[in-house]
Amino acid sequence: VQVVESGGGLVQPGGSLRLSCKASGFTFSSYAMSWVRQAPGKERELVASINWSGGSKTYADSVMGRFTISRDNAKNTVYLQMNSLKPEDTAVYYCAADRDFGVDVQDYDYWGQGTQVTVSS
């Protein structure tokens, strides 16, 4: 199983980034996918989740209206479009997979290595 994130980097406040997560080694189209972030000294935060079909999505209150999660099952890839970025969005962003939608973060089956997002002027 491989879960590989990409697209992180340094961006100014108010800017945008698009994260990608490509998965292999499991039946991607049967799994719910999520983005989880962790800032230094803080607990992990579930940012956004999407069910297997893309028909159901959830977002943390802190990113509602600014971030959009989507998936392309033909490409085994999930995306996180991040707009109007704030310094408090700075964190390592992880992609995670689980057979069930809406499970606790600690129960996810598969995790990527993470990609750093830094929002700073």
Side-chain angles (χ1 to χ4, degrees), residues 37 45-48 59-67 83-84 86 88-89 93:
R37 68 185 180 186
E45 178 186 19
L46 176 59
V47 174
Y59 297 93
D61 289 343
S62 58
V63 306
M64 187 78 71
R66 299 188 298 122
F67 290 11
N83 299 329
S84 302
K86 305 175 181 180
E88 50 264 43
D89 294 317
Y93 283 70

Side-chain angles (χ1 to χ4, degrees), residues 43-99:
E43 294 188 355
R44 287 184 301 188
E45 178 186 19
L46 176 59
V47 174
S49 296
I50 187 168
N51 76 333
W52 66 273
S53 69
S56 294
K57 304 175 184 180
T58 60
Y59 297 93
D61 289 343
S62 58
V63 306
M64 187 78 71
R66 299 188 298 122
F67 290 11
T68 302
I69 189 170
S70 61
R71 67 188 297 158
D72 184 340
N73 286 344
K75 296 182 178 180
N76 282 13
T77 302
V78 61
Y79 305 97
L80 186 67
Q81 178 66 43
M82 305 186 295
N83 299 329
S84 302
L85 282 161
K86 305 175 181 180
E88 50 264 43
D89 294 317
T90 295
V92 178
Y93 283 70
Y94 298 91
C95 178
D98 196 88
R99 281 193 169 275

